[in-house]
Amino acid sequence: QVQLAESGGGSVQAGGSLRLSCRVSGRASGRDCMGWFREGPGKEREGVAALYTRDERFVDLYADSVKGRFTISQDKAKNTVYLQMNSLKPEDTAKYFCAAKGVGLVEDYCYLGAVFDSWGQGTQVTVSS
């Protein structure tokens, strides 16, 4: 079982930045693939970024809509995954969720369309024009 707790959401003007944090606890084998997802008003849940870490291997993936603006990272010592969001746009307004799944040595199983096992409660991000 993996527990996730997001923080760092808020309101910001277009062009601004926010950093979301996801505190992770629980079974280590269930979190070598971490993801950030979002649900905007009237929209389906969208995968934003995913991160595979195993030993020294590090692979990050991004949705086209955020590539070059968002960065996913992890501080293992703090058991925290981050989503740095720069150049925010009004269309980035959404509730953002952190998610985890265990994929072991098969990093190809870590991708934005994968089924994630554990989810946080979400944090709201609002970008005004």
Side-chain angles (χ1 to χ4, degrees):
Q1 189 79 3
V2 177
Q3 293 79 42
L4 307 167
E6 304 95 335
S7 61
S11 297
V12 64
Q13 288 193 324
S17 299
L18 282 174
R19 188 177 77 160
L20 305 183
S21 299
C22 175
R23 187 68 187 265
V24 185
S25 60
R27 187 168 54 92
S29 61
R31 44 180 156 136
D32 40 29
C33 176
M34 299 297 300
W36 283 98
F37 294 77
R38 66 186 182 187
E39 288 182 6
K43 298 180 181 179
E44 293 186 354
R45 182 171 291 184
E46 173 191 19
V48 174
L51 174 65
Y52 172 80
T53 56
R54 179 87 180 191
D55 299 325
E56 300 303 316
R57 184 78 174 141
F58 176 101
V59 179
D60 54 347
L61 305 169
Y62 300 92
D64 288 343
S65 58
V66 306
K67 200 171 293 183
R69 299 188 297 122
F70 290 12
T71 303
I72 187 171
S73 63
Q74 183 177 26
D75 186 334
K76 288 194 173 182
K78 296 183 178 180
N79 289 317
T80 302
V81 177
Y82 301 100
L83 184 68
Q84 177 67 44
M85 305 185 295
N86 298 328
S87 302
L88 282 161
K89 305 175 181 180
E91 51 264 43
D92 294 320
T93 294
K95 192 167 188 178
Y96 284 71
F97 298 86
C98 178
K101 68 176 289 165
V103 298
L105 297 174
V106 189
E107 66 181 68
D108 288 348
Y109 288 172
C110 184
Y111 60 102
L112 293 177
V115 176
F116 281 70
D117 305 312
S118 303
W119 292 83
Q121 295 300 308
T123 184
Q124 179 67 36
V125 172
T126 303
V127 185
S128 57
S129 57

